[in-house]
Amino acid sequence: MKYLPILVAMAGAVACNNDHKRPEQQAGADSVLYSDIIRPVTDSIQHFPDQDALYYRRALLLFNTNPNLAQADFEKAASLKPANPDYWAGAGEAALLESHYDKAELYFSKALANAPTYTYLQYKLATAMLENKHTTQADSLANVLADTAEGRDKAFYLKARMAEDRHDTTAAIEHLKAAVAAAGPHAEYEAVMELADLLRARKTPEAVRYYTAAWHQDSLNAAPLYDAGQVQEEMGDTNTAMNTYRKCIVADPGFAPAYMALGNIHSSRNQWKEAYNFYNLAAKAAPTDAQAYYQRARCQEQLGNKKEAIDDYAKAASFRKDFKEAKEAMQRLSR
């Protein structure tokens, strides 16, 4: 969404600068309209009930937490000024979140009627059509988008979605590749990850490329790198996978799955001291992860630290009540 998040942030900043207080309390949904951030706009609406911009501002403030209330305000703003495409587009976005696909399709159509060259609105209308099972119309709109420079990537996103709905994974992969290539550095993160996941499911090493590309889009998010490491392991390239897991830890030192993966590799090699170090770090990063304590206990047992092993098996069993292996190991060592 090119317009809405920016306006949400702007509206939020304006509202946060106004600390107006109101004594009465409201119940139910109305109480949201009288929360500290929303209340100033609600008060203004009571004084100026025909000001479309006020309903729009309140809708933006409500959008992320109460899309149903936001939709009502977008609709009111649009009824007061039907020629404003942003009002209809906002109502369409809220309707999509609320799974009101008929309304979403209607509202994006009205937005597009007031901004016929806005390719993003065409994309959102096609998305609403797909959700509403109007596949033929969505495909026609995707073909229109494919002939525009700014909408080409979105056309392929749509076609990939349609291919997946048909369970045609081969076509979905090709469309997603085309979409990512057309968008270049501005490719949608979710689309890149979806492409990588589809390639991984087919045990294709090329998945690593797209997981890495997704990580470059959000270098503080270690999850795509972890997935890349998993693919490398699945392909038998364990040493490269270990390097990738280490990059995960640099990107996010609190990312427990990377510590677990490194611990698993070392334990598979009977390198118990090294494995213990990584499982220990995993337990610190995720202090309620039963598997981390269980694996750390196995290392303690192999290293001859019986008491410590029992303690860790007990922790594992406490965090997962049905952890049969941990309970049996604890009983075995306690005899």
Side-chain angles (χ1 to χ4, degrees):
M1 195 186 324
K2 289 183 178 178
Y3 44 89
L4 202 52
I6 297 173
L7 293 175
V8 168
M10 291 173 60
V14 170
C16 286
N17 288 332
N18 190 339
D19 195 30
H20 177 68
K21 302 293 182 184
R22 183 186 181 107
E24 68 265 28
Q25 297 294 318
Q26 302 291 323
D30 286 347
S31 65
V32 176
L33 304 182
Y34 288 90
S35 62
D36 288 344
I37 293 177
I38 309 295
R39 182 184 296 136
V41 188
T42 299
D43 286 347
S44 296
I45 287 173
Q46 290 179 339
H47 288 96
F48 307 101
D50 296 325
Q51 292 295 312
D52 54 282
L54 290 175
Y55 292 99
Y56 183 57
R57 180 185 298 179
R58 190 169 70 177
L60 293 172
L61 291 169
L62 290 165
F63 182 80
N64 289 327
T65 55
N66 297 90
N68 58 325
L69 296 178
Q71 182 180 327
D73 275 351
F74 283 129
E75 291 169 348
K76 180 65 175 179
S79 71
L80 291 168
K81 187 174 285 187
N84 190 319
D86 282 346
Y87 297 170
W88 293 115
E93 295 284 4
L96 273 181
L97 285 179
E98 290 293 288
S99 301
H100 298 156
Y101 302 130
D102 283 336
K103 287 187 175 182
E105 191 172 337
L106 173 64
Y107 294 150
F108 284 123
S109 295
K110 288 180 178 291
L112 197 55
N114 289 287
T117 61
Y118 197 174
T119 56
Y120 197 80
L121 288 176
Q122 293 175 318
Y123 171 52
K124 296 304 293 188
L125 174 57
T127 300
M129 289 173 170
L130 277 179
E131 296 289 0
N132 213 19
K133 308 302 181 185
H134 294 158
T135 306
T136 302
Q137 297 93 317
D139 191 40
S140 295
L141 199 47
N143 289 333
V144 172
L145 284 167
D147 290 333
T148 66
E150 63 273 24
R152 184 172 171 79
D153 61 322
K154 296 171 182 61
F156 286 115
Y157 292 145
L158 291 166
K159 287 184 176 292
R161 162 76 182 277
M162 286 181 265
E164 287 197 70
D165 288 345
R166 297 192 307 269
H167 305 289
D168 187 348
T169 304
T170 299
I173 288 173
E174 292 308 311
H175 289 316
L176 283 171
K177 283 184 177 181
V180 171
H186 304 294
E188 291 186 10
Y189 174 86
E190 292 80 6
V192 180
M193 287 295 288
E194 175 68 10
L195 174 54
D197 288 342
L198 291 175
L199 291 168
R200 180 183 177 182
R202 290 197 160 190
K203 302 188 183 302
T204 305
E206 192 180 10
V208 173
R209 169 189 168 191
Y210 290 103
Y211 282 131
T212 304
W215 172 67
H216 283 301
Q217 290 181 312
D218 183 6
S219 59
L220 297 180
N221 182 0
L225 267 185
Y226 174 77
D227 288 332
Q230 292 280 282
V231 173
Q232 289 162 341
E233 266 201 89
E234 290 162 8
M235 296 294 109
D237 194 355
T238 306
N239 289 334
T240 301
M242 293 177 76
N243 289 332
T244 303
Y245 294 138
R246 292 187 185 100
K247 288 181 182 178
C248 288
I249 294 167
V250 172
D252 181 1
F255 191 72
Y259 294 118
M260 290 294 293
L262 286 165
N264 291 341
I265 291 172
H266 283 295
S267 66
S268 70
R269 297 174 175 177
N270 295 325
Q271 296 170 337
W272 300 108
K273 184 176 180 180
E274 293 83 353
Y276 168 82
N277 290 335
F278 285 111
Y279 290 136
N280 186 46
L281 290 168
K284 289 180 178 179
T288 61
D289 185 352
Q291 191 64 27
Y293 290 108
Y294 177 75
Q295 294 295 348
R296 191 172 74 175
R298 287 184 62 238
C299 294
Q300 294 279 30
E301 186 175 354
Q302 292 294 329
L303 292 169
N305 302 324
K306 181 177 177 179
K307 180 181 180 302
E308 289 81 359
I310 293 173
D311 289 343
D312 275 347
Y313 283 131
K315 288 179 182 177
S318 71
F319 289 121
R320 190 195 302 171
K321 301 303 182 185
D322 61 346
F323 207 150
K324 179 181 177 182
E325 294 85 354
K327 292 178 180 178
E328 288 177 348
M330 184 171 55
Q331 292 170 358
R332 172 172 49 79
L333 290 181
S334 298
R335 292 193 187 105

